[in-house]
Amino acid sequence: MIVDRIRWRRLEDQRVDELQEGRLLRTKAGSRALCFVRLAGRLHALADQCPHQGKPLSGGWCEDGWVVCPWHRFHFDPATGKARNGVCANAEVFPLERRKDGWYVGFPYTTLRFLGIDWW
Ligand code: FES
């Protein structure tokens, strides 16, 4: 059976804890570049790649609760990744968990589960 899973990676970058409201931060989890933002006290993680033309979102800014891409100024909801007014595809967002030893980012993947084993 095909099942959806999440692979959790601990963030090594401690600057995430000090991220100020409305600011963007580029960091990595494994090989993935991520754009972190704190809005209304809540931390969000987006792929640091705009779905429009692949430019880094972390070079942008926050405006009225949206993350704004600096290249063509498309707006994305940091919680859902949804593009405002459907102007392009949605940004990729990742679940976050605060654990005793730091922040963890979840990377969804699909696998084949057979005989109690995930095969990829
Ligand atoms: S590359 Fe982000 S809006 Fe065009």
Side-chain angles (χ1 to χ4, degrees), residues 50-55 57 69-74 76 88:
C50 180
H52 178 226
Q53 289 186 354
K55 307 292 188 189
L57 289 173
C69 178
W71 296 89
H72 309 101
R73 302 185 179 209
F74 290 177
F76 300 95
C88 73

Side-chain angles (χ1 to χ4, degrees), residues 61-106:
W61 62 90
C62 291
E63 191 176 295
D64 299 330
W66 300 88
V67 170
V68 183
C69 178
W71 296 89
H72 309 101
R73 302 185 179 209
F74 290 177
H75 292 51
F76 300 95
D77 182 318
T80 64
K82 204 166 173 136
R84 187 167 78 176
N85 300 328
V87 291
C88 73
N90 297 336
E92 193 175 9
V93 294
F94 302 96
L96 290 170
E97 270 189 21
R98 178 71 183 170
R99 299 181 188 173
K100 278 190 229 166
D101 58 341
W103 283 101
Y104 281 76
V105 185

